[in-house]
Amino acid sequence: MLHPEQPRWLVANRLGKEVIDLCDGMRDISAICRVLSRRYGKKPGEIAPDVKAFLESLHEAGLMVEDRPPSQASPDRVSIRGVFLHLTDRCNLRCIHCYVGEGTKAGPDPPADKIHGLIDELADMGGRSITMSGGEPLLRRDWPDIVRHAGERLTVTLNTNGTLVTGSVAGQLAEVGPHIQVSLDGPDPETHDGIRGKGTFASALRGIRALTDAGLGENLILSMTLMKQNISKAPEMIDLAVSLGIPKIRFLPLHRQGRARSSPAALDASLDDYFRWFRHVYLERKAGSGPVEVYGGLIGFLLQAPVEFDEHWCSIGRTIVVDSAGYVHPCALLMDPRFTIGNIGNMRLEQIESSPKLRGLTLACLARSGIIAKCRTCIWRNFCRASCPAFPFLEKGTFRATDDFCDFRQQLYEDAVFTIARRRVQNEESQ
């Protein structure tokens, strides 16, 4: 059973299906029990407890809804609560897939006063979080002041390649306590160094251990970009996270941006490779198994609505991206000049939030599942919500299309729902 508007579901047995069919808006619980009494030759009083328990499970799953028209994306959906900020485009590495591009040609870093002003504006508007990335943000000499200032008012995440993290750096970070995402593209030197450069695996591990020694182990996240060179090693990355005591790991599909755009054939994993990985991480590996929280990388695959689910899992309209030149974009994957909203050098955050361009882009992206013909007839549309709008744009040059994972995602939803249901039944029977 699927919710008519939200990503909520429940698997029922045959009797449950009969109860659902009898919930036609005309019968109350007593009437449903009388119908079932006639069908099964039992007294209504004997059937009532099971019917009530089943209806309560529907209510708890969020599936008991009023008969009302589907909700539509609202302009109020634009409410900036987070910023993804490029502190610099400079980097000490030359990764073969870098989406920023050639670090040796990076422009000047954004001025510190503009960054501090942005942090204050975001906090004053009720913003909650800021992610600092690059390039390599630790190349800025003033990074401690920036991170410290942000940490006083916001939840901070710092994205780093880990190679510049020393004991001193880790100690300064520990004073603030941010979340720290370390990019690691393989579980061994051969794989990782082939992507990021000789010696980088050992340097990144030294950085991770320094952060752990400084008491930041629970704040660490590993991030791996999936590509031809490493996708077969993805399961081993989970084992590495376990061995390092890191609580979270994210796997991200390769995006055809920056250096990856010029050589997709040399970097792109095949769809079959992606499908094998997704089946492993979402089906074969039990959800919640082991001490590491795993995000598998299949964008638009959502089996459980977030607690703060409003209309869409996508952060567009909630989070903006500010590049190192101060230009504002709706998404890290939509940094094309056609989508630039403005610049923090001459626009306040409130002006950006109320920008007709940002609102128009947000509504266009969130409305895709009702526009794309394939999505309108898909039973999983309220889960996937047409997936990430940036993927088909990067692949096909349009928002009004599905991405390359669409057919597989539909099948995986069906397989996952019944796999989870079987496991729940098995767990209940074993108790």
Side-chain angles (χ1 to χ4, degrees), residues 91 93-99 101 161 185 195-197 259-260:
C91 191
L93 305 184
R94 299 293 178 267
C95 305
I96 61 177
H97 62 297
C98 179
Y99 81 96
N161 59 43
D185 287 326
I195 295 169
R196 292 184 169 262
R259 295 193 186 105

Side-chain angles (χ1 to χ4, degrees), residues 53-317:
F54 178 70
L55 293 176
E56 181 61 31
S57 70
L58 291 181
H59 178 73
E60 291 175 357
L63 291 168
M64 298 288 283
V65 297
E66 298 174 1
D67 185 13
R68 62 183 185 274
S71 63
Q72 300 295 322
S74 164
D76 294 335
R77 175 58 162 76
V78 179
S79 178
I80 297 173
R81 293 293 175 262
V83 170
F84 188 99
L85 173 65
H86 290 75
L87 285 182
T88 181
D89 279 349
R90 293 180 293 130
C91 191
N92 60 317
L93 305 184
R94 299 293 178 267
C95 305
I96 61 177
H97 62 297
C98 179
Y99 81 96
V100 173
E102 190 59 55
T104 56
K105 299 179 181 178
D109 296 341
D113 63 324
K114 290 294 183 184
I115 294 175
H116 285 266
L118 177 68
I119 291 167
D120 290 335
E121 283 186 67
L122 178 61
D124 291 343
M125 289 173 57
R128 296 189 291 262
S129 65
I130 187 166
T131 298
M132 300 180 184
S133 188
E136 172 50 56
L138 296 181
L139 283 174
R140 285 190 65 127
R141 293 184 178 180
D142 58 355
W143 71 259
D145 294 333
I146 295 172
V147 171
R148 189 177 302 112
H149 181 65
E152 292 172 352
R153 308 196 66 184
L154 301 165
T155 298
V156 179
T157 299
L158 181 76
N159 293 351
T160 175
N161 59 43
T163 62
L164 300 180
V165 177
T166 61
S168 174
V169 168
Q172 291 179 84
L173 287 169
E175 293 176 4
V176 179
H179 301 286
I180 302 171
Q181 179 175 291
V182 181
S183 297
L184 206 62
D185 287 326
D188 52 64
E190 180 182 6
T191 307
H192 179 84
D193 291 4
I195 295 169
R196 292 184 169 262
K198 185 176 180 180
T200 55
F201 182 78
S203 297
L205 284 192
R206 281 197 297 271
I208 289 170
R209 292 188 176 108
L211 292 166
T212 301
D213 291 343
L216 290 168
E218 289 300 312
N219 293 25
L220 289 177
I221 307 163
L222 286 187
S223 176
M224 178 182 184
T225 300
L226 299 167
M227 62 189 88
K228 181 185 296 185
Q229 287 79 356
N230 65 7
I231 193 167
S232 64
K233 300 288 188 73
E236 296 174 42
M237 282 293 296
I238 300 175
D239 297 334
L240 178 62
V242 172
S243 69
L244 293 172
I246 294 176
K248 295 181 181 180
I249 184 167
R250 301 175 69 221
F251 295 91
L252 305 173
L254 179 70
H255 306 309
R256 294 179 184 175
Q257 294 179 297
R259 295 193 186 105
R261 183 186 299 155
S262 61
S263 55
L267 299 177
D268 281 353
S270 70
L271 287 179
D272 285 343
D273 285 337
Y274 273 118
F275 296 165
R276 276 191 291 271
W277 162 246
F278 292 145
R279 290 195 70 84
H280 169 78
V281 74
Y282 291 113
L283 293 183
E284 297 164 10
R285 181 183 182 274
K286 290 185 179 181
S289 62
V292 177
E293 180 183 331
V294 178
Y295 169 69
L298 182 54
I299 294 178
F301 187 74
L302 179 73
L303 282 171
Q304 183 63 47
V307 174
E308 296 183 355
F309 183 81
D310 52 3
E311 290 169 354
H312 204 293
W313 51 263
C314 179
S315 64
I316 192 167

Side-chain angles (χ1 to χ4, degrees), residues 11-24:
V11 174
N13 59 19
R14 183 174 58 83
L15 181 57
K17 175 64 166 56
E18 290 186 48
V19 173
I20 291 169
D21 290 340
L22 291 170
C23 293
D24 56 3

Side-chain angles (χ1 to χ4, degrees), residues 261 327-330 334-342 357 393:
R261 183 186 299 155
Y327 288 103
V328 178
H329 312 273
L334 294 176
M335 295 177 69
D336 185 290
R338 287 171 287 182
F339 305 125
T340 301
I341 308 302
K357 189 171 184 179
F393 176 79

